[in-house]
Structure formats: C-alpha cells, structure tokens
Amino acid sequence: PHYSHNRAAAWWQVRVRARRQRRRLYSLGRNFLYGMLFRACFRVLVKAQQPQRQPLEPTSRHPGISLALHSRHPRATDDGSNVTDEQQCLHQLIRKQQEHILRRQRYQDRNTSCIVYIMSDRTATVSELSTWLKREYGCHAQSASWKADGSNTTTATSKSAQTNEHGPFAGSGFWKDLEWCAQARTGLVADLGRSSSTLLQELMEYDTYVEYHSYYLKNQKWSRHIKLPVCRLPKRLP
C-alpha cells in the first residue's frame, strides 16, 4: 500500500507538470505554436524574384500596410475572375489601417506604404486584384508566381492548366507563394476553413511575433503579443 501511495503521488506530480508545460506551450496561442513547429521542422527555399522586405522596427517606424491574401478556387470551372469577396475584405482592412496610421502616429513617423502579397491558384485573380489595388488604393501587389513585370513564372500555359482545380501554380508554386505571403505583417484575407490558409496564418503570427520580440530585446524594451487582423472569405464549395 505504501508503494502504491508513492506511485500515485509521483504520477499526480507528473500530471501537474504536464499541465503546466501545456499552458506554457499554448501561452501565445495555437497559431504561434504550430507556426513555430513548422519553422523548426521545415525550411522552404524560395528563389528571390523581387527585393526582400526589410525587418520591421516597430518603435521607430510603422510597417505601413502589409497584407496577405489567399484565394482558393476548388471548382475547376471557376477561372478566378470574380474577386468581389476579396475586394470587400481588402477594402475593410486597408481603410481601417489607413485610418489608424493617420490617427495614431506622429506625422514624421507615418508610413503609408501599402503592399498586398497575393497567393492564388488562378492567374485571373492575381491580375484583377493587382489592377484594382493599384487603382483604388495605390497598393503594390506581389506574388511569388508572378515576375515584377507582371508576367507569370509558370510554364503551364494551356487552358486546362489555368482552370483545373489546383491551377498553374500547383506543387512547388504553392510553397513559393506560401513563403512569400508569410512576409505580410498587418493582416490576412483568407478562408480559414482551408488547411492551407490556416498554415499561412500560423506562419504569419509566429514570424511577426519573433520579429518584433527580437527587435524589442535588442533595444531592451518589453515585447507584446500581436493579434493578427483577419477578414474571412466565404467558403467556396467544389
């Protein structure tokens, strides 16, 4: 009986420690934890096609507007030219962040730059949104699957490749787009019911926190957890 009592007490202590560790693991949220796990296990190598974004210095200069958009089209007959939902979400996030920059920041520190990283399986979506963002907000759109001159980098030019379920950027193109869009820091537009969109959210939250936290530690200032603004696209059915 004495042995059993000691074993039960030891097991109870193990459970207490396990619960304490679990709380610490999830203290910054599930997205942060899964983003950290991905970064620890995998390294995505992307050939640079455009200048890399410089690390943020949040106490001296606002990062401006830096959004990621993931637009997925599971229906093969959907060519991606209807971007109404994406435009509504982008309008919501951009207007809100523009107002925040003008209201909260000192004039000399204002950074009104606007960049939107687009991740999509349809060339029409990238093209339509790039033109709309430039016209309506003066925002610059970027995609790892598109060159700086506006031409796409894929070799799949047939109509079937452009409109099948996974589009012309499937395979390695997905990982390029994912890593490229993870550079965004101030908001996400996506259908979070999709695992690919959730992965993008996790990477953005982890990378943003690490970037800010590293800067604050370097400058001996307190860091803080940053909640990523998200606008959810409606679920698209096959």
Side-chain angles (χ1 to χ4, degrees), residues 122-174:
R122 296 292 186 267
T123 56
T125 300
V126 180
S127 179
E128 290 289 335
L129 288 176
S130 298
T131 303
W132 179 80
L133 285 164
K134 186 68 174 178
R135 182 180 68 248
E136 296 295 324
Y137 298 103
C139 294
H140 179 54
Q142 286 191 6
S143 172
S145 300
W146 286 65
K147 297 178 181 178
D149 61 4
S151 59
N152 66 68
T153 61
T154 180
T155 57
T157 56
S158 67
K159 184 176 181 180
S160 61
Q162 297 289 333
T163 58
N164 64 23
E165 180 186 349
H166 298 290
F169 310 134
S172 62
F174 167 80

Side-chain angles (χ1 to χ4, degrees), residues 5-121:
H5 175 75
N6 289 342
R7 185 172 60 177
W11 176 241
W12 181 82
Q13 291 178 357
V14 169
R15 292 178 61 186
V16 170
R17 286 196 296 268
R19 285 196 294 266
R20 189 180 300 121
Q21 286 293 96
R22 183 177 61 185
R23 285 195 297 269
R24 292 180 61 187
L25 277 173
Y26 285 90
S27 62
L28 293 176
R30 181 182 62 183
N31 291 332
F32 175 89
L33 178 62
Y34 289 166
M36 179 175 65
L37 178 62
F38 184 93
R39 290 300 188 204
C41 295
F42 305 103
R43 184 183 179 192
V44 182
L45 299 177
V46 179
K47 182 183 292 186
Q49 299 167 357
Q50 302 175 33
Q52 292 292 321
R53 180 187 54 78
Q54 295 299 314
L56 305 181
E57 294 187 358
T59 58
S60 61
R61 186 171 175 82
H62 192 276
I65 298 172
S66 172
L67 305 175
L69 180 141
H70 182 209
S71 180
R72 176 79 170 87
H73 304 82
R75 186 177 301 171
T77 55
D78 188 350
D79 65 358
S81 59
N82 184 354
V83 292
T84 303
D85 294 330
E86 288 85 350
Q87 288 173 345
Q88 290 177 351
C89 267
L90 287 169
H91 172 78
Q92 175 184 327
L93 290 179
I94 292 173
R95 287 295 298 273
K96 187 174 182 178
Q97 294 186 25
Q98 284 179 336
E99 292 172 359
H100 173 81
I101 292 172
L102 295 175
R103 183 175 66 251
R104 295 291 182 87
Q105 298 210 285
R106 294 177 301 174
Y107 180 78
Q108 61 268 29
D109 286 338
R110 287 178 184 170
N111 178 7
T112 56
S113 63
C114 176
I115 181 169
V116 179
Y117 299 93
I118 301 177
M119 177 178 177
S120 180
D121 51 5

